[in-house]
Every structure is written in structure tokens, then in C-alpha cells.
Amino acid sequence: MLKSEAVTRMFGSKTAVDQVSMTLEKGHIYAMLGPNGSGKTTWMKMAAGLCKPTSGRILFEGEPVGVCSRASIAYMSTEPYFYNWMSLKDVGRYYQDFFADYSGQRYAELLRSFELEESLKVKTLSSGMMAKAKIAVTLARDAKVWMLDEPFNGIDLVARDRIKSAIIESAQPDKLLIMSSHLVEEMEAIADRAIFLRNGQLIKEADIETERTENGCSIADEYRRIYGAQGGTEA
Amino acid sequence: MKNLIKYEFRKTWGTKLIILGITAFAELAFLVSLYLDKEKYNGLSILALTFLAIGGIIFIGIQSILTMHQDMNTKQGYMLYMTPNSCYRILGGKVIENGLSIFVAGAFFFALGALDVTLLLGHYGQLGELKKMLDEFLRQLRMEVPLDGRLFALLTLNFLCSWLATVITAYFADVIATCLLNGKKYNGWVSLLIFIALSWAMAYLQQVCTERLVWDARLIWNAVIALGCSAVMYVATAALMERHLSV
């Protein structure tokens, strides 16, 4: 469904993503793992069509990502990105105006489950409320691909459980879900596949269940093994 | 496209309302001072209205340039660039919204100006004499330009078209700075130089193409050339964004 072909992205002399090639299939939830600066966000932004690769390309259903793919790929950035003048109701209207796959009813349900009022102004939201609002509006789209960058950042345990439920509800055999997070154990409970990135390079793709049954190690163990050598303590 | 234009307008309507509010206040001051025959306050309110008309239209353009810059350089730009719209449509939305705002504001201030001049002429009959004197003065200078509504309408049209072209040229220079010179030393200065050079080139083209024409044809062709330059700048800017813009 989503294919990355030797994708490289450079910022000046720094290589953020380095020759990443992989194929992500529908019907799976991928955990994109790696310490800060490993290239997770940059790769997602390229897949969302927000950022252009320096070389290589990302294909969605066989076509390079761009204007058309944006109608089917729902991306949630880790940073707040709603316009300051908006209320949460305005955010919903905005998505309604631009995305054919958006459901206002689903948005209202998700906001309710996250205990957020539609009348709240974006500029008054705390970081946790903002994170929940971003997830609600992104999952309110019936997209073919969801990409959630750090969906659990700044969110308390109870809300995290609600978000996990919402994500699992959204996962369908014909959908693809990609999430990045530093909370590896949380990811292990949701995802069935893991992608390990380091210094912009793809280190490993793994089936979480196979790792567990055949190699007897969890994703957190694998994370420690891969990143431990460079002093990574993010698990 | 309709939604893109709607949200572009939504981003800037606050300042437009402020301009409208201040204008309403200045107009009220003008009408009251005219009614009460307070010439000093009358003069001040005319000065304020003139400043608002020119300054307001210029500000609408500058705000559009700032919004464009913000959309390319802050995370809020994701809202715009993650929608399934090409850069041609996104930029088109901005150009149409800004063009409409500039022309509607221009028409509004022109109509208001015409109304106020009519009221002034009605109130102070001697102003008609002053106009005749100015006409005679211009004739002696061999400037065959009648000081009438047509002249002011063409001057306004020329100003609005040239200002729109300047705004789109600024978009182009900003896109160059963001897409091609991002992270490079002096990128702001380089894009400013590009903006100045392109603005000068447009002014030169207008001068060369219209210098042999009579005054009214000159004003019309200046406006046409400005609109042509706007179209060229729009295509060049959108093409650059489509190929190189990363937000």
C-alpha cells in the first residue's frame, strides 16, 4: 500500500532520512521506533506529501505521494498545527470542508470520549488536550492510511487507554496505521509490526508476534538491543 | 477552491474589520464636521480618510504576504498543505482572495471618496472654482489631463493592479527564500533583492510600453501589464512551490 524506494532527505549537510526502502502493507499497525533524530517524523512528513524527498520516492497504491494521496492519507503531526483562531468546532468544519472521508459524527464521539467540548478555543488548550483533539480529528477521517506521530505525547494514562481503544477501533483489514512513539511498551500492545530507524537509516523491520514466539524477545528488548549500544534510554 | 478562498479570508478578516471600523469613525467625523462647518476637523478627517484608503489597501496586501510566509514557515502550514489541493490551487486561493479584497476595498474607498467630494462641492461652492483653477494650471503646464472622475477611476485601477502585482512578486521572492535558499546565509536579503529587481523590471516594462501613449491609454495599459505580470508571477511561484516546497 505504501512503498518507500531508497528515500533520502537532507537538510543542508545533515541527512535526516538515508536510503530508506520498505513496503508497508494494509491490515497492519506499524510501530515506527527510534530515538530522537532517527528520521521517523521526516519520513512520515514525506509520506504525507508535506515534505519532498531529496532523492528516492514514496508510492501510495503505486503512485507517487502528492495531491491525490493526501485525500486518502491522514497525518497527525506531533506538533500543534491548528490555526489559533479556531475552536474545536471550527477544526471539525475545516476537515469537513477539505476531506471527503471525514465524519463529523465520529469526531463528536471521539471528542466526547476524550472529554473535550467543541466550543473550546485552540489557543486555550493544554498540550494534553491539544494532543487528544489532534487524534480525534485525524481518526474522524475514514482514511486508507493513518500516520500518527507521537500520539501519546503529553497524555495521561487514562486518556492514553482511550486513545488506544480509538486506534484499535479504527484498524481494519483494508487500512494501514503507522505510529511513532518513544513509549515502546505502549506500542507493543497495539502494533503488530515494528520498524526500527537509527540515524535516518532503516535498521530492521520485524513482525512483533514472530519476535516474541520465535526469538523470545519483546519489542522493548529489541529496542534496548538496537539502541542500547548508543546509549539510547528511550524505551 | 471556494473553501481555500473562504479560509484565506477567515485568516485575515479581523484586520479588515478593524480597517472598516476606523474608516467608519473617520467618515462620521467628516460628516459631523461638515455639518457643523468645522473646517479644521473637516480637513483632518479628509486627511485620515485619504491615509486609510491608501494605507488600508497596502496593509491588506502586506498582511497577505505575511500570511503566505507563515503558512510556509510554521506548523500551521500543515493545515493548508495536507489538504488534497495542488500548490496551483492553494496559491490561486490566496491570489483570488487578496485580489478580491484589494479590489473591493479599492471600489469601496473610491465610492466613499466620490460621495465625500460631492458633499464637499455641495457644501463649499467655492471648491468648484478651485477645480477650474487647477484645470487651467494644468493646461498652462501643457498637461492635458482633466481632473474628473474618469481620471481618478483610472488612477485607482492602476494603483490596485500594480499593488496586486507587487504582492504576487513578494510571494515569489518569499517562495524562493523558503524553497531554494532555506538555511543559506543572507537568504532574506537575496529574496529582497530579487523582489526589488522584479518590481523594477515591471515598472520599466510599463514605462517602455506606454511612454508614447496618451494619459488614459497609458493608465489602462499600465494596469493590463501589471495584471499580465501578476499572471506570470503566479504561475512561476506555484510551479516552484509544487516542485520544491517542504513545510
Side-chain angles (χ1 to χ4, degrees):
Chain A
M1 189 173 230
L2 210 51
K3 193 174 183 189
S4 177
E5 293 181 342
V7 170
T8 297
R9 172 69 202 193
M10 299 186 71
F11 293 103
S13 58
K14 189 182 175 336
T15 307
V17 173
D18 190 3
Q19 293 283 321
V20 170
S21 294
M22 57 186 174
T23 302
L24 308 183
E25 291 157 9
K26 62 184 176 185
H28 293 284
I29 301 179
Y30 287 82
M32 196 169 251
L33 305 169
N36 294 330
S38 56
K40 304 183 299 287
T41 297
T42 306
W43 187 88
M44 279 194 182
K45 279 173 65 178
M46 287 190 286
L50 290 170
C51 182
K52 307 271 190 298
T54 307
S55 64
R57 60 184 188 161
I58 298 178
L59 305 174
F60 169 69
E61 293 183 331
E63 293 294 320
V65 294
V67 176
C68 294
S69 66
R70 285 187 221 145
S72 304
I73 298 177
Y75 170 63
M76 190 205 83
S77 149
T78 186
E79 303 101 342
Y81 55 92
F82 300 149
Y83 293 123
N84 281 334
W85 51 265
M86 286 181 155
S87 66
L88 291 185
K89 193 171 187 171
D90 293 327
V91 173
R93 280 201 199 117
Y94 188 90
Y95 272 66
Q96 181 88 60
D97 285 340
F98 285 109
F99 299 105
D101 57 11
Y102 171 82
S103 159
Q105 193 189 337
R106 173 92 174 122
Y107 179 56
E109 283 167 13
L110 286 165
L111 283 185
R112 249 195 319 275
S113 79
F114 296 151
E115 294 169 352
L116 292 173
E117 298 282 332
E118 281 196 338
S119 58
L120 284 170
K121 290 274 179 198
V122 162
K123 60 184 169 199
T124 65
L125 298 181
S126 68
S127 60
M129 289 159 102
M130 176 62 87
K132 287 190 267 187
K134 283 188 301 175
I135 289 169
V137 80
T138 308
L139 293 182
R141 285 183 61 188
D142 186 24
K144 290 182 180 172
V145 178
W146 281 287
M147 290 193 294
L148 309 177
D149 195 4
E150 304 284 355
F152 304 121
N153 259 12
I155 292 186
D156 64 79
L157 193 64
V158 176
R160 221 184 287 168
D161 288 341
R162 285 186 187 143
I163 289 168
K164 274 195 271 182
S165 307
I167 290 170
I168 290 165
E169 267 173 41
S170 303
Q172 301 289 329
D174 58 338
K175 312 278 184 189
L176 166 62
L177 228 146
I178 309 164
M179 288 185 296
S180 75
S181 179
H182 293 126
L183 303 165
V184 180
E185 268 114 5
E186 298 277 356
M187 297 290 272
E188 194 153 13
I190 312 171
D192 62 336
R193 295 207 173 166
I195 296 162
F196 294 91
L197 293 171
R198 185 171 60 196
N199 298 330
Q201 292 178 330
L202 177 68
I203 302 296
K204 183 178 179 176
E205 267 187 273
D207 184 285
I208 293 178
E209 193 52 32
T210 308
E211 285 292 315
R212 211 177 285 142
T213 53
E214 291 181 11
N215 303 331
C217 74
S218 67
I219 287 302
D221 294 335
E222 193 60 9
Y223 190 100
R224 288 189 187 96
R225 191 187 67 74
I226 292 172
Y227 304 110
Q230 64 171 39
T233 54
E234 315 234 5
Chain B
M1 184 62 101
K2 189 187 79 187
N3 285 324
L4 287 169
I5 295 168
K6 181 174 91 179
Y7 284 102
E8 285 306 320
F9 179 71
R10 182 61 189 78
K11 286 177 203 169
T12 55
W13 77 302
T15 39
K16 284 167 189 160
L17 270 182
I18 292 171
I19 293 171
L20 197 64
I22 300 172
T23 305
F25 180 76
E27 179 65 16
L28 188 69
F30 167 77
L31 292 174
V32 170
S33 58
L34 190 69
Y35 180 73
L36 298 175
D37 255 343
K38 302 277 186 192
E39 285 181 21
K40 185 181 155 194
Y41 294 107
N42 208 214
L44 280 175
S45 54
I46 290 169
L47 200 66
L49 281 166
T50 310
F51 174 78
L52 272 165
I54 298 168
I57 290 166
I58 288 175
F59 188 78
I60 287 170
I62 289 173
Q63 195 189 21
S64 172
I65 297 163
L66 292 175
T67 307
M68 169 87 172
H69 181 78
Q70 208 173 19
D71 282 341
M72 290 192 296
N73 293 284
T74 68
K75 303 299 171 202
Q76 291 192 349
Y78 291 175
M79 284 295 266
L80 188 57
Y81 293 103
M82 74 180 177
T83 63
N85 288 296
S86 68
C87 289
Y88 288 93
R89 286 174 72 93
I90 289 172
L91 186 68
K94 286 179 181 294
V95 169
I96 291 171
E97 190 279 330
N98 192 242
L100 280 176
S101 295
I102 286 175
F103 280 97
V104 168
F108 168 74
F109 282 116
F110 182 80
L112 194 65
L115 176 75
D116 289 350
V117 167
T118 309
L119 288 173
L120 267 178
L121 289 174
H123 196 79
Y124 302 109
Q126 63 269 41
L127 281 179
E129 294 301 313
L130 181 68
K131 183 186 170 301
K132 278 182 197 159
M133 278 169 63
L134 277 171
D135 280 338
E136 183 56 33
F137 178 66
L138 287 172
R139 226 184 334 271
Q140 282 179 7
L141 288 176
R142 298 192 175 184
M143 291 172 70
E144 298 293 329
V145 183
L147 284 175
D148 57 12
R150 187 158 171 266
L151 170 72
F152 287 107
L154 286 175
L155 278 173
T156 306
L157 179 74
N158 193 27
F159 166 64
L160 298 178
C161 293
S162 297
W163 180 231
L164 180 65
T166 305
V167 170
I168 301 173
T169 305
Y171 288 167
F172 180 71
D174 195 23
V175 167
I176 286 182
T178 304
C179 297
L180 304 180
L181 305 171
N182 196 13
K184 297 210 167 66
K185 227 176 174 182
Y186 308 121
N187 69 343
W189 289 106
V190 173
S191 70
L192 179 67
L193 284 176
I194 291 168
F195 169 73
I196 292 169
L198 288 170
S199 302
W200 177 84
M202 189 183 81
Y204 182 75
L205 186 69
Q206 284 176 319
Q207 194 197 342
V208 167
C209 294
T210 64
E211 63 188 345
R212 289 171 197 279
L213 300 174
V214 290
W215 70 269
D216 49 355
R218 182 183 298 176
L219 287 174
I220 290 168
W221 275 104
N222 271 345
V224 170
I225 290 167
L227 288 178
C229 289
S230 301
V232 172
M233 280 294 145
Y234 158 73
V235 173
T237 309
L240 254 180
M241 289 166 74
E242 196 74 37
R243 203 172 161 78
H244 296 287
L245 182 64
S246 290
V247 291

